[in-house]
Amino acid sequence: MKAIYDLPAPAKLNLFLHITGRRADGYHLLQSVFMLIDWCDTLHVELRTDGQLSREDLTTELPPDDLVLRAARALQALAPAGMGAHIGVAKHIPAQAAMGGGSSDAATCLLALNRLWKLGLPLPALEKVGLALGADVPFFLRGRNAWVEGIGELITPIELPAAEVVVVKPDQGLDTKSIFLSPDLERATKPATISGFAACSAQEAEQMFGFGRNDLQPVAQRLC
């Protein structure tokens, strides 16, 4: 196999987002339901045998060293000598929108290179690589709607009813890091339960989307 084309890297929505605590290392503990939507970036990955990694921006210009290249380098450390790749990225998911575009791209890149380089790494091994890149990457590697806890690494697949969602993204973006650094961020929300959320999602989509709240929203609104 010399190339894999038209690989989707889907966006996600947080149906709610609770911050339940903070670890000694500064990472925040969260609870959320991540729902995949049919809005995605697209990756095209071609094999190189010279050990080089290159990226082509097919739509939006990306930072010189984005999560795609960082993911490729991280996996390359586990690959035989000479394994490289040329990666085309067609961006459609907006940046700084908390929709996981960069993390999804990284996950799709890891899955593609694991296959293209014939590494045969199991999902837990890829998740370990992914978590070092970003807390959302393991979720995208699994490719299923999920209840997410911890710093994003505790993932429980869940079923969600079909829903149609209107996504509105203003011109201004916001770096998530700036929200988490704010002293005004709520960091002690009472933990919710999967069963409590499931009771809503089993009824109507309106109740499912009304579950909980987004602890980041008040700070985000002030910063904007």
Side-chain angles (χ1 to χ4, degrees):
M1 185 181 297
K2 294 184 178 180
I4 311 176
Y5 298 112
D6 300 316
L7 296 167
K12 59 92 173 167
L13 299 180
N14 294 55
L15 298 192
F16 69 93
L17 182 57
H18 295 168
I19 306 300
T20 60
R22 193 175 190 180
R23 301 194 318 193
D25 60 7
Y27 280 94
H28 288 78
L29 300 173
L30 59 85
Q31 286 185 319
S32 184
V33 166
F34 290 177
M35 182 179 77
L36 295 167
I37 62 174
D38 60 356
W39 188 5
C40 64
D41 296 338
T42 304
L43 272 64
H44 311 286
V45 184
E46 300 174 352
L47 178 67
R48 293 182 61 158
T49 56
D50 59 0
Q52 298 299 306
L53 297 171
S54 56
R55 191 196 70 219
E56 181 179 0
D57 299 337
L58 302 175
T59 51
T60 305
E61 184 177 354
L62 298 173
D65 191 35
D66 73 329
L67 273 175
V68 169
L69 286 176
R70 288 165 56 193
R73 281 202 307 273
L75 197 62
Q76 192 181 44
L78 305 176
M83 290 292 97
H86 178 69
I87 307 163
V89 182
K91 288 292 296 182
H92 303 290
I93 304 170
Q96 296 190 326
M99 299 180 71
S103 294
S104 187
D105 294 344
T108 295
C109 179
L110 290 174
L111 291 168
L113 292 178
N114 188 43
R115 184 177 179 188
L116 200 61
W117 292 341
K118 300 179 181 179
L119 302 182
L121 295 175
L123 187 57
L126 291 178
E127 288 182 354
K128 184 177 180 180
V129 174
L131 186 60
L133 297 166
D136 290 350
V137 178
F139 162 75
F140 286 110
L141 284 168
R142 296 197 183 193
R144 290 188 59 187
N145 299 325
W147 176 277
V148 179
E149 296 183 284
I151 63 170
E153 84 285 11
L154 302 177
I155 303 167
T156 303
I158 60 173
E159 298 295 330
L160 298 176
E164 293 183 347
V165 182
V166 176
V167 178
V168 179
K169 167 63 172 65
D171 291 336
Q172 183 178 0
L174 189 60
D175 181 12
T176 305
K177 183 178 180 181
S178 64
I179 303 176
F180 280 116
L181 290 175
S182 171
D184 298 328
L185 178 66
E186 172 59 59
R187 295 180 171 89
T189 294
K190 182 179 178 181
T193 63
I194 295 181
S195 60
F197 176 80
C200 291
S201 63
Q203 298 178 39
E204 304 217 0
E206 183 177 350
Q207 289 182 287
M208 178 185 75
F209 283 99
F211 184 88
R213 64 176 185 266
N214 182 352
D215 283 338
L216 274 62
Q217 183 171 336
V219 175
Q221 288 182 247
R222 284 196 291 274
L223 291 175
C224 286

